Amino acid sequence: MSPVWLQIYHCLLAHWGPQHWWPGETPFEVMVGAILTQNTAWTNVERAMANLRAAEALDGVTMGELSDAALADLIRPAGCFNVKAHRLRALCAYLGQEAVLDNPGDLASRAGLPELRRRLLAVPGIGEESADAILLYALGLPSFVVDAYTRRIFRRLGLLADGMSYDAIQSLFHNHLPRDPQLYNEYHALIVQLGKTSCRPQPRCATCPLENRCPRNLI
Ligand code: SF4
């Protein structure tokens, strides 16, 4: 276990403080958000969520009863609304299969983390990032979320090689950090904050809390 991975976390946390992720009042809302946020900005997700809330459709039972067209219409602001409606209905079908549609937080009791992850990945439209977001933020299980920000930042920090698979990157985080869901929750949120502010495609290193430890600035 290398202390660097934890030092980076503490440096980001000291700079920005807790990020209070993931926005969502219930495990089901977090699951829905994890699907709606695919390929779109969170502001668009918020508009779709507001529509679902206004229609009182932010629970698995009600959403599962909506027609494809009605659901697609409600989530239109999140983009790719027909595809995402299909994915949300697949999620509802899966939760029904696990007999947790009326209380999706109970999914955590249905199997161990690796098996739950396998089952989520078998749901159409749920990829690795969405599955881990559901496991971590909806169910509180220690599965690190890897996204494009993570790849960009940690490659620049010299901690990832080019072309590494999702699982290989996730294993690095799991191997270098304690298996603590609260730590993973906060760390991923801070990575997103860094990726949106300083470590952008054109990095703004002068504003970055990691400036003094980043190889880009030590050459
Ligand atoms: S110093 Fe620059 S390249 Fe390094 S992590 Fe910060 S913004 Fe990214």
Side-chain angles (χ1 to χ4, degrees):
M1 200 178 280
S2 157
V4 174
W5 299 71
L6 210 46
Q7 287 164 0
I8 290 170
Y9 167 73
H10 285 300
C11 186
L12 297 177
L13 185 64
H15 189 75
W16 277 299
Q19 300 295 297
H20 307 293
W21 271 38
W22 175 300
E25 290 171 15
T26 64
F28 185 68
E29 286 193 27
V30 176
M31 292 177 186
V32 170
I35 289 175
L36 292 181
T37 198
Q38 294 168 348
N39 303 314
T40 196
W42 187 255
T43 46
N44 298 328
V45 175
E46 283 175 336
R47 290 165 53 217
M49 291 291 243
N51 287 349
L52 289 168
R53 190 166 288 113
E56 298 183 353
L58 261 177
D59 69 87
V61 177
T62 311
M63 186 177 284
E65 289 169 352
L66 289 176
S67 68
D68 279 350
L71 182 54
D73 199 42
L74 289 170
I75 64 168
R76 187 175 288 263
C80 304
F81 44 89
N82 286 320
V83 173
K84 288 181 181 177
H86 184 72
R87 291 177 180 177
L88 288 174
R89 290 178 65 78
L91 170 69
C92 291
Y94 166 64
L95 295 173
Q97 213 176 296
E98 295 279 11
V100 294
L101 196 53
D102 53 354
N103 196 2
D106 284 353
L107 186 58
S109 67
R110 292 297 187 262
L113 195 161
E115 174 58 22
L116 270 185
R117 191 170 189 269
R118 264 192 297 278
R119 292 182 192 178
L120 282 168
L121 288 173
V123 177
I126 297 188
E128 290 161 315
E129 186 181 333
S130 301
D132 289 324
I134 289 170
L135 291 165
L136 180 60
Y137 290 103
L139 304 179
L141 298 172
S143 204
F144 203 90
V145 179
V146 175
D147 65 356
Y149 293 124
T150 314
R151 289 175 184 275
R152 182 165 77 214
I153 293 166
F154 282 79
R155 228 178 20 236
R156 287 174 174 171
L157 288 169
L159 295 169
L160 299 183
D162 284 342
M164 287 180 76
S165 69
Y166 186 103
D167 284 345
I169 296 172
Q170 187 187 54
S171 294
L172 282 175
F173 280 90
H174 287 176
N175 293 338
H176 288 297
L177 296 169
R179 289 301 286 267
D180 175 356
Q182 189 47 46
L183 170 67
Y184 290 5
N185 174 325
E186 199 60 60
Y187 205 157
H188 174 66
L190 288 163
I191 287 169
V192 172
Q193 175 68 5
L194 178 63
K196 283 183 173 172
T197 54
S198 300
C199 204
R200 297 161 63 94
Q202 290 298 319
R204 301 171 179 173
C205 302
T207 66
C208 178
L210 303 177
E211 188 192 8
N212 293 333
R213 66 173 67 240
C214 184
R216 277 179 83 103
N217 298 304
L218 298 177
I219 297 166

